[in-house]
Each structure stands twice: as structure tokens, then as C-alpha cells.
Amino acid sequence: RIGQAVASNLDRDGLLDVVVAATIEGVGADAGRASVPDQEGALVPVASSGDVGSADEALSAVETVARETASPAERSHALRSALALPLHGQGGEVMAVVAIARSGGPFTEDEHEIFAYLAGQAAQSIENVDLHHRIERQEVARLS
């Protein structure tokens, strides 16, 4: 799905929407979302899937930890397990945070690996989309 999203020239938010849906399906989560930092550094949701309302507190808690530490995080809150991964750019900055949650037990090691793989693919795809947009802007500026 992620490859198809890039091939379809989706924008960053569209790509994150595909990543969230694929991740939820891949690890059997109930809900998920992707958030990007705004100009003040606060995370702003740009894509979501599943029952995000019921999982909001768990997702918020794990997103905060992942953003602050710039590393994967897992937390449990009110009988929900949540897992978040920051997506890093080439310069090491956090481009986005993808978080998933589900009722029941914590995520398995295999599910962590699937999530990490999908997040890594997403980070590369987002960088490709951003590079494409940057080159387009430079070409327009050059021709002006």
C-alpha cells in the first residue's frame, strides 16, 4: 500500500493515511493515527483510522513519549495498549509520529517488528514525496 501511495503521487497526509491503515491491519490494532509537528512543535493529527475516540488517551500518552524521546514507545492506559514510532528525516528530525492502540494485551515482538518495518518504509516514502515537492518548487523558481 505504501508503494502504491507514492506511485500515485499522494501528498504527505495521504501517504500517512495509508500508513496508518496498513499498520492497523498489519498488527491487529483497533485504532491509529499519524501526527506531524506544527510550527510550535505540538503534534497535530493529520490521519486516523479506527476507533480513535476510545483510544485517544492511550494514543496521546504514547505519542508524547515517542516525540519527546525521538524513539519508539509503548504504554498501557485504561485497558488499552498503545505503540508509537517517530518517523525521522535524514537530518534526524521527527517528521511525524505514527501511533496505534488496541484493547487487550500488549503488542508482541513480531508486531513491534512489523510496525517498525512499516514506519521505516513510510519515513523513506515521505522523504521522497518531500524531495519531489522541493525539486518542483526549485524548478518553478528557476523558470520564473
Side-chain angles (χ1 to χ4, degrees), residues 2 9 24 28 70 109 115 125 140 144:
I2 295 169
N9 290 321
I24 287 172
E109 189 62 36
F115 189 36
S125 296
V140 167
S144 298

Side-chain angles (χ1 to χ4, degrees), residues 123-141:
Q124 289 178 349
S125 296
I126 290 169
E127 283 191 326
N128 289 340
V129 168
D130 288 350
L131 179 60
H132 178 74
H133 289 299
R134 191 173 329 131
I135 290 170
E136 280 183 336
R137 285 190 303 270
Q138 289 172 349
E139 187 62 21
V140 167

Side-chain angles (χ1 to χ4, degrees), residues 30-104:
D30 301 328
R33 69 180 172 212
S35 302
V36 297
D38 66 10
Q39 294 198 359
E40 288 80 38
L43 288 177
V44 177
V46 294
S48 64
S49 185
D51 188 9
V52 175
S54 296
D56 185 60
E57 289 185 39
L59 290 168
S60 294
V62 76
E63 286 167 336
T64 299
V65 173
R67 171 81 166 123
E68 289 175 354
T69 64
S71 61
E74 185 170 11
R75 294 289 183 269
S76 293
H77 185 274
L79 302 177
R80 287 195 176 271
S81 294
L83 181 62
L85 283 171
L87 306 183
H88 297 278
Q90 287 182 342
E93 77 282 2
V94 175
M95 300 182 298
V97 175
V98 178
I100 56 174
R102 71 174 174 206
S103 313

